[in-house]
Amino acid sequence: MSTLTIAQLQTHVYEDKLKNVEMLVPLLRQAKEGHADIVCLPEMFACPYETKNFPDYAEEEGGPLWNALSGLAKEFGIYLSAGSVPERTPEGNIYNTAYVFGRDGRQLAKHRKVHLFDIDVKGGQSFKESDTLTAGTWSTVFDTEFGKIGLCICFDFRFPELARSMVLDGAKIILVPAAFNMTTGPAHWEVMFRSRAIDNQVFTFGTAPARDRSASYHSWGHSIAVSPWGKVLNQMGARAGIQTTAIRLEEVDEIREQLPLLKGRMEHL
């Protein structure tokens, strides 16, 4: 039986990059004591979510932050879906990048946010990631002892074709570090994670930062876990904390057998 436990850390984001890493240690210890196999961090968990900050906080792959996260995965013997961080390339491009590390600390996956968050909602949120970020170009699925898992970042998940691509590549779980705001969160957060789960018959996990009213960007929070039937298994509020969800992967195959949506789809209409 492919049962696994996923812990989501809805953390506060400090201006001090090192402090954001240090605060993970007791939380990861708590998650490990709760028998977590996979631990998920939020989008931009170590960088206040402002476009001007991304170049200042950015590091190359293999830099100090990358090494700290790799070391924590190895220390606690977990899969660490390490939220997302600003990544700088040797060419000078900045990406919103999600790394995943295995139980031995090796990097298993790397996803660069494909769909940049450029919006201007009348009477609501205005934000333009493309002011400082470059878009990624690929869909990401990685292997674990439990099977294949998909990975994308926040605004990526609004695009159904990206989720479908991950599922067609074998994903039975999709992990989404995300930071919806106070405009889009109440309107779309839960319904989006339920919709992607239902359409693709997969587990979906969205992990967000805690809300901080003193920051310029106010996260909706509400880290969420949804079953392939579209049932909300767990959902947090706005405050920092840990949410742990045990899932049975056989549920994916059972639901796909009962409702053969993927088998019955018409590809060329």
Side-chain angles (χ1 to χ4, degrees):
M1 182 180 294
S2 301
T3 301
L4 70 152
T5 300
I6 297 178
Q8 296 168 273
L9 308 189
Q10 185 164 288
T11 56
H12 182 86
V13 180
Y14 298 97
E15 291 186 4
D16 184 338
K17 188 191 300 185
L18 182 59
K19 186 174 182 179
N20 290 308
V21 176
E22 290 174 341
M23 73 172 179
L24 294 178
V25 175
L27 296 174
L28 290 172
R29 184 173 295 114
Q30 183 179 340
K32 182 66 175 179
E33 290 170 354
H35 306 290
D37 297 293
I38 301 172
V39 178
C40 302
L41 306 182
E43 182 180 22
M44 291 294 175
F45 81 93
C47 171
Y49 195 67
E50 295 183 59
T51 54
K52 67 179 183 180
N53 288 333
F54 300 151
D56 293 336
Y57 281 72
E59 297 180 6
E60 291 190 14
E61 180 181 335
L65 184 56
W66 184 99
N67 275 289
L69 295 168
S70 169
L72 288 171
K74 184 175 182 179
E75 178 182 350
F76 290 100
I78 55 169
Y79 289 94
L80 181 60
S81 176
S84 78
V85 297
E87 177 205 2
R88 183 187 304 276
T89 68
E91 298 76 25
N93 291 326
I94 310 295
Y95 294 92
N96 186 343
T97 299
Y99 297 110
V100 178
F101 300 94
R103 296 186 191 272
D104 59 359
R106 289 186 306 110
Q107 180 178 305
L108 298 181
K110 173 182 176 176
H111 178 78
R112 290 170 170 168
K113 192 173 189 177
V114 175
H115 305 91
L116 298 184
F117 185 55
D118 287 3
I119 67 162
D120 187 9
V121 179
K122 186 177 181 180
Q125 184 75 28
S126 180
F127 205 88
K128 194 173 183 183
E129 280 188 324
S130 64
D131 282 344
T132 54
L133 295 178
T134 300
T137 57
W138 63 76
S139 171
T140 303
V141 172
F142 61 96
D143 290 307
T144 72
E145 67 201 73
F146 305 102
K148 293 183 182 294
I149 296 177
L151 176 70
C152 66
I153 302 172
C154 200
F155 202 53
D156 281 338
F157 212 40
R158 283 189 174 272
F159 297 83
E161 59 271 21
L162 183 60
R164 178 56 55 85
S165 175
M166 289 185 276
V167 169
L168 294 179
D169 285 337
K172 293 186 177 180
I173 304 169
I174 298 177
L175 306 179
V176 189
F180 271 40
N181 57 60
M182 298 300 293
T183 301
T184 59
H188 299 150
W189 176 262
E190 181 178 316
V191 70
M192 184 184 70
F193 278 91
R194 295 187 69 193
S195 296
R196 297 292 170 271
I198 292 168
D199 289 346
N200 294 289
Q201 301 175 310
V202 290
F203 288 97
T204 61
F205 285 80
T207 307
R211 191 176 308 161
D212 181 358
R213 286 294 191 179
S214 69
S216 63
Y217 185 92
H218 300 151
S219 170
W220 173 238
H222 288 260
S223 295
I224 192 170
V226 181
S227 81
W229 189 253
K231 178 182 178 182
V232 176
L233 302 174
N234 262 325
Q235 186 168 190
M236 300 180 74
R239 295 182 179 180
I242 298 180
Q243 175 169 278
T244 302
T245 308
I247 63 173
R248 189 175 58 86
L249 278 181
E250 284 82 2
E251 187 176 348
V252 172
D253 295 325
E254 291 166 4
I255 288 173
R256 290 178 180 179
E257 186 66 28
Q258 295 165 34
L259 288 173
L261 303 182
L262 296 174
K263 290 180 181 178
R265 65 193 180 91
M266 303 290 287
E267 296 184 56
H268 305 295
L269 287 178

